[in-house]
Amino acid sequence: MNYLDLQDPRPIYEQITDMYRMLILKGAMKPDEPMPSVRKLAMELSTNPNTVQKAYTELEREGYIYSVKGRGNFVRDNPDLREKKRKELKDRLDAIFKEASDIGISREELLK
């Protein structure tokens, strides 16, 4: 489950953040489910605990998780996250279709 690609040019904390975003959006992690402790995850990934903490801070800022002092981090029950992601993907696709149209590639050709 916990996999880092050392060839990936993105920082490790971004890879961790993306991994947990996808697990939460897919429903693999349920609301109020505890996240691995910072120390445990850092050991599993052979990375610095500060890197994991940075990823968790980002996930909390985005509304994916919440923290309870002395207890750890937990998955937030936030149904708006899926809709927000769906809108983000739609906007990206619209931009791709517009760019393709600008250079003469039809939507149908692009979909093939």
Side-chain angles (χ1 to χ4, degrees):
M1 174 173 126
N2 299 323
Y3 172 73
L4 294 179
D5 181 0
L6 299 177
Q7 303 299 317
D8 191 327
R10 295 175 302 150
I12 292 172
Y13 86 92
E14 283 185 16
Q15 292 183 50
I16 296 168
T17 304
D18 287 347
M19 175 178 62
Y20 279 103
R21 270 191 209 114
M22 293 312 300
L23 288 171
I24 292 167
L25 288 172
K26 284 196 286 188
M29 296 190 76
K30 304 295 182 206
D32 300 318
E33 181 177 333
M35 299 286 288
S37 75
V38 170
R39 286 184 184 155
K40 179 181 177 193
L41 187 57
M43 285 179 56
E44 284 180 22
L45 299 176
S46 300
T47 191
N48 189 306
N50 292 331
T51 302
V52 175
Q53 185 57 54
K54 187 173 183 178
Y56 279 13
T57 299
E58 182 68 14
L59 287 167
E60 186 171 8
R61 187 185 67 73
E62 293 175 357
Y64 286 89
I65 65 174
Y66 64 95
S67 62
V68 177
K69 192 153 184 88
R71 304 252 348 256
N73 296 289
F74 300 85
V75 176
R76 182 179 297 280
D77 184 13
N78 190 344
D80 296 335
L81 290 175
R82 277 187 83 105
E83 189 55 40
K84 180 180 173 186
K85 186 66 173 180
R86 184 186 327 268
K87 182 177 179 346
E88 176 187 314
L89 291 170
K90 182 185 176 302
D91 291 345
R92 285 177 26 206
L93 281 173
D94 287 345
I96 290 170
F97 285 136
K98 181 177 179 345
E99 184 178 349
S101 175
D102 290 348
I103 60 172
I105 300 172
S106 71
R107 185 177 283 236
E108 295 74 27
E109 186 180 352
L110 192 61
L111 289 173
K112 286 181 186 176

